[in-house]
Amino acid sequence: MSEEPAITLYRLQACPYCERVVNKLDEFDLAYASRFVEPMHSDRNAVARLTNKRTVPAIVDETTGVTMSESANIVEYLENTYGDGAAASGAAGAAGGAD
């Protein structure tokens, strides 16, 4: 019996914002568990307990301890944590002239 993936994605069926996150997870070949939530915003108690919001998509990454919502934030997080963005963000910070 296999272990549960470290990343859990809370999502809605046919949600374009959720699919954006799914595409990024697939791009980085990251294992994740999908948890489909209630369509009615007011019924999304599982998401609200995790993120204090009822919006999806939302992810929980047990590897890093990160819990977040909003597709743009999640995609940026995945790129910076698992993709080429981890190396690029260090270079961008150096090129930004903050030092």
Side-chain angles (χ1 to χ4, degrees):
M1 187 164 163
S2 65
E3 247 180 63
E4 189 78 12
I7 297 174
T8 302
L9 171 63
Y10 292 84
R11 63 195 278 206
L12 283 172
Q13 199 77 25
C15 164
Y17 301 105
C18 300
E19 291 306 310
R20 180 178 180 201
V21 173
V22 166
N23 290 338
K24 189 56 66 173
L25 288 163
D26 289 345
E27 178 184 329
F28 294 138
D29 199 26
L30 296 169
Y32 63 95
S34 285
R35 299 285 183 261
F36 289 94
V37 300
E38 296 293 327
M40 288 294 296
H41 194 265
S42 60
D43 290 338
R44 296 184 197 154
N45 296 326
V47 176
R49 282 191 295 273
L50 293 168
T51 66
N52 292 324
K53 298 177 185 177
R54 295 182 190 276
T55 59
V56 291
I59 67 164
V60 176
D61 187 344
E62 299 292 339
T63 303
T64 61
V66 166
T67 298
M68 64 177 14
S69 56
E70 305 293 333
S71 64
N73 294 340
I74 295 169
V75 166
E76 181 180 12
Y77 162 77
L78 293 171
E79 288 173 345
N80 290 336
T81 306
Y82 297 103
D84 293 337
S89 66
D99 289 271

